[in-house]
Amino acid sequence: MGVFFYNANRGEEYNPLLDPVYYTYEDGVLQATDARTTAKVIRPLQAFVVKCRAAEKPEKVVFHRRAITDGNYTPATLYVPANNTSGARRLTLKASGSGGSSTASVAVGSQASDGYDHTEDAMTLFDSNLSTVPVVFTITGGRAVSIDSRQSLGVVPFGVACAGSDELVEVSVDGDELSDSVLFVLDAVTGETTEVGEGNSVMVQPNDYGRYFLTTRGDLTALSDAQADGGIRVSVRGRQVTVSAAGELTSVRAMTLGGEAVHSASGCGTQASFSLPGGVYIIEAQTAEARKTVKIVVK
């Protein structure tokens, strides 16, 4: 699905051609294109800017559902990254609870970049106002993402955030990647593995960060690969935050999204607990061997 713009302000009928000129800025070069002869689509998660000349500024710029294309309309896009993953096979993780549901997508392709890449991955937006909705996410490059492009499904860390509840959340996995792969959910706390796919699901404890992993291996060999972060785990129960690790925690910090430190401790042993006001925070935890940074939601 993509979007395009047309001159709705002058009452014109639907027309897939942009009117009259649009501009792209790539690699330091500004290029103008006549939209009456060349139509292009803005792909999902691509950004655009609307600028008007002062003398011709309309009262409003109209955007609505008629500007959304479906899979039957596929002109060229405005910009396609060199490592485009449009042909990748995809998985969808769905988290369902009493307060609603959410999804996260994992795209697997040989051209994908492992680690976070802003041209192909999308960070998860945690909204403390939607406190009852369980938000599922995967982790790549140390960031929580809702769209995750990677080269393989060997080990995919994931979790569920739900500021308003600690009730178990059902997580199901669906997608074409399951046609020739057997996938498991690994719980790093209990060591248990559960096969998912083909109608199976797993119950996940929300607000535990660094605990769950999607993997193609149904044994604990995946656990050692997954815990390159030193086995550091962050749990949130109400306003109580607990950071634990396999080794000694040399430092633990909590910061607001604006970078203000609201908690700092050192020499914490293997576990540190503290309370925070409701909101969204960045937790940084470090041992002698590893470091972990996670975004959490406190109700």
Side-chain angles (χ1 to χ4, degrees), residues 130-205:
L130 302 176
S131 60
T132 62
V133 179
V135 179
V136 63
F137 56 88
T138 63
I139 299 292
T140 183
R143 306 187 187 211
V145 296
S146 295
I147 297 179
D148 183 358
S149 297
R150 55 178 63 222
Q151 293 190 5
S152 75
L153 286 174
V155 178
V156 182
F158 76 95
V160 176
C162 188
S165 174
D166 286 325
E167 294 181 1
L168 293 178
V169 173
E170 181 182 19
V171 174
S172 58
V173 184
D174 189 25
D176 49 21
E177 189 67 23
L178 291 173
S179 60
D180 54 9
S181 299
V182 178
L183 294 179
F184 302 87
V185 169
L186 171 64
D187 185 335
V189 172
T190 65
E192 296 178 352
T193 57
T194 304
E195 184 175 345
V196 292
E198 299 296 332
N200 296 336
S201 60
V202 62
M203 301 304 293
V204 167
Q205 175 66 60

Side-chain angles (χ1 to χ4, degrees), residues 18 106 172 224 245 258:
L18 304 178
V106 181
S172 58
S224 59

Side-chain angles (χ1 to χ4, degrees), residues 43-129:
R43 299 194 315 156
L45 300 179
Q46 285 187 320
F48 61 88
V49 177
V50 178
K51 298 184 70 175
C52 301
R53 296 177 182 173
E56 302 177 0
K57 183 178 179 180
E59 293 183 2
K60 60 181 178 179
V61 176
V62 177
F63 173 77
H64 47 67
R65 290 190 62 82
R66 283 190 295 168
I68 301 177
T69 71
D70 59 21
N72 297 317
Y73 182 72
T74 55
T77 59
L78 284 175
Y79 171 68
V80 179
N83 56 350
N84 178 34
T85 58
S86 59
R89 304 180 71 184
R90 296 183 180 273
L91 286 178
T92 299
L93 287 79
K94 181 177 181 179
S96 303
S98 58
S101 64
S102 67
T103 60
S105 173
V106 181
V108 181
S110 59
Q111 300 301 312
S113 300
D114 282 334
Y116 178 77
D117 185 332
H118 73 277
T119 66
E120 59 185 24
D121 303 315
M123 286 192 292
T124 302
L125 300 177
F126 294 107
D127 188 345
S128 57
N129 294 320

Side-chain angles (χ1 to χ4, degrees), residues 271-286:
Q271 181 172 297
S273 295
F274 50 93
S275 296
L276 292 175
V280 182
Y281 298 91
I282 302 296
I283 305 296
E284 290 184 351
Q286 191 166 351

Side-chain angles (χ1 to χ4, degrees), residues 195-217:
E195 184 175 345
V196 292
E198 299 296 332
N200 296 336
S201 60
V202 62
M203 301 304 293
V204 167
Q205 175 66 60
N207 308 316
D208 274 8
Y209 303 81
R211 175 173 178 174
Y212 296 102
F213 304 86
L214 189 67
T215 175
T216 54
R217 285 169 281 173

Side-chain angles (χ1 to χ4, degrees), residues 28 243 260:
V243 182
E260 178 185 356

